Amino acid sequence: MRSRYWTDEREPEMARGRFVALALITAMLATGASQPAATAEAPLRVLPLGDSITDGGADGGYRSDLWHFFQADGRSVDFVGSRSGGPAHLGDKDHEGWPSMTIQWINDNVVDRIPSLAPDVILLHIGTNDLGDDTSIAGAPERLRNLIDRITTKAPSAKLYVASIIPIADNTKNRRVLAYNATIPGIVGSFASAGKNVSFVDMNSAVPAVELADGVHPTYGGYSKMAARWYSAILGTPMLRYEAEATANAALSGDAIRRIDGDRSSGGQRVGYIDVPNSSTLTFTVYAGKTGPHRAYIRGGNGMTTPCSHFLSVNGGPASTVTYPNYGWEQWGVVGVTVNLNAGPNTLRFTKGDCYTEIDALDLTTSA
């Protein structure tokens, strides 16, 4: 990894090269390649920017699962920032998440260092600390507009994704969240219309209020939903999450297998004890809008001393092997596989492979 303060006069050209590489890998996914070939291009430099929701504490927030999404697709990524934090299995801990800080604080204290970080992608989630009262929210949209203007001026070649902020459990404060969020698409649209490299990401709908750990910050599972929404935006392909414990689209059968409560699990539960070969089965019913290869990302946790696996059968076809890293129980990794689906409903059936792994959720690209 290069120093996060590295700069080079060739950076705009190198940034374009990285996006070309990203586009080529995306095209490879569409052809059904299960593991994209390595690229000699420099890693995509991603700047996570915001307040404590970007910092994420000891678990690394959304940054942990986001890094694993990149790894699942064999993509080279370099998180950049002047701060560092996260769990051992987060391979790159750099970020610019500043707890308790506001839009104006980020503008005054962080934006000037962005050129030295040389990001290709900036992920901006900011505004939660601006919504303490009705007076503070009144000027928040204009402060956001000024922040976007400065970022796009300081880093014109970077792709800036601006998110609506996630819910707050308190009803009065959440009313301010909704009012603030309603202004963001128009603000972002005005910059995009002016030729700026800016896009809006609907993050508010990604995290349900029941997955707020303290009324403001997501649970570990809620952060995983943020990661999937960010990755979907970067990939340029919508993704839909299927919870392993959801009876509407995930069926359990056979011996031992059961749903297990866990505050680190997406949706508050996971599926474990997939212990008996050919008997303990977890079957997702997923929907595809078009026949062809889709990318599936399985969030698995393995507390054994070695990587473990499941056998995956799509629509009753021959089984393939899905192997998960051993980070620990409820220390989730993301494994990516390409599955060929039919338009309409499809089944993805998981059975025991080597040793033991729990499954928390599955994210699936919604278009071929």
Side-chain angles (χ1 to χ4, degrees):
M1 184 189 306
R2 291 175 291 171
S3 166
R4 51 180 173 263
Y5 295 107
W6 179 92
T7 62
D8 194 295
E9 63 182 3
R10 299 167 295 165
E11 188 62 27
E13 288 73 19
M14 295 179 71
R16 284 193 289 273
R18 285 188 283 267
F19 275 106
V20 168
L22 190 64
L24 288 173
I25 296 173
T26 302
M28 292 177 65
L29 295 182
T31 67
S34 60
Q35 182 65 39
T39 173
E41 295 288 343
L44 190 75
R45 295 172 64 84
V46 176
L47 170 60
L49 177 61
D51 50 32
S52 59
I53 294 171
T54 296
D55 176 276
D59 286 328
Y62 70 74
R63 296 179 290 108
S64 181
D65 270 31
L66 180 59
W67 187 82
H68 288 295
F69 272 113
F70 278 99
Q71 306 313 301
D73 280 339
R75 298 171 182 235
S76 183
V77 65
D78 181 5
F79 287 173
V80 297
S82 64
R83 309 193 73 223
S84 181
H89 60 83
L90 171 53
D92 190 338
K93 299 176 175 60
D94 295 338
H95 66 94
E96 286 287 348
W98 293 87
S100 302
M101 298 308 169
T102 63
I103 299 169
Q104 192 61 52
W105 191 94
I106 295 294
N107 202 345
D108 293 341
N109 295 277
V110 178
V111 174
D112 284 342
R113 76 167 62 99
I114 289 178
S116 68
L117 299 172
D120 303 308
V121 168
I122 302 171
L123 307 178
L124 177 64
H125 182 282
I126 192 66
T128 301
N129 296 311
D130 288 76
L131 308 182
D133 55 49
D134 291 334
T135 300
S136 64
I137 188 180
E142 189 59 27
R143 292 193 292 273
L144 179 66
R145 184 185 297 276
N146 292 338
L147 175 59
I148 295 172
D149 183 54
R150 288 202 66 220
I151 291 174
T152 56
T153 299
K154 292 284 185 178
S157 64
K159 175 67 177 182
L160 172 62
Y161 295 95
V162 182
S164 57
I165 61 174
I166 64 172
I168 295 177
D170 179 87
N171 288 333
T172 298
K173 291 183 179 179
N174 197 56
R175 174 176 54 80
R176 298 174 191 140
V177 167
L178 296 175
Y180 171 68
N181 282 345
T183 69
I184 298 177
I187 293 171
V188 171
S190 67
F191 282 95
S193 296
K196 303 294 184 180
N197 201 8
V198 183
S199 292
F200 170 72
V201 177
D202 176 14
M203 194 62 72
N204 184 265
S205 67
V207 182
V210 295
E211 291 196 64
L212 298 175
D214 58 2
V216 177
H217 302 88
T219 61
Y220 192 35
Y223 274 125
S224 80
K225 290 182 168 73
M226 290 187 70
R229 188 62 56 91
W230 282 130
Y231 193 64
S232 174
I234 294 169
L235 195 64
T237 303
M239 296 197 304
L240 181 63
R241 170 154 296 193
Y242 293 85
E243 299 287 2
E245 74 279 2
T247 57
N249 53 45
L252 280 56
S253 65
D255 300 325
I257 187 169
R258 65 177 184 264
R259 298 172 178 88
I260 306 168
D261 293 338
D263 58 7
R264 298 175 63 82
S265 302
S266 175
Q269 286 187 316
R270 63 196 187 276
V271 169
Y273 297 94
I274 310 173
D275 291 355
V276 183
N278 301 313
S279 174
S280 304
T281 66
L282 167 61
T283 303
F284 290 93
T285 299
V286 301
Y287 292 84
K290 185 177 181 181
T291 297
H294 292 65
R295 196 70 171 159
Y297 303 93
I298 305 101
R299 193 172 193 243
N302 164 19
M304 308 301 289
T305 59
T306 184
C308 299
S309 66
H310 289 134
F311 294 121
L312 168 61
S313 175
V314 179
N315 292 326
S320 59
T321 302
V322 180
T323 302
Y324 308 86
N326 52 312
Y327 298 136
W329 298 117
E330 280 207 281
Q331 299 293 324
W332 304 104
V334 178
V335 179
V337 296
T338 296
V339 290
N340 287 298
L341 303 180
N342 302 317
N346 299 262
T347 58
L348 276 61
R349 181 176 182 264
F350 292 84
T351 57
K352 185 184 184 304
D354 291 333
C355 54
Y356 307 100
T357 297
E358 297 175 342
I359 294 180
D360 183 35
L362 181 148
D363 291 287
L364 182 73
T365 56
T366 60
S367 58

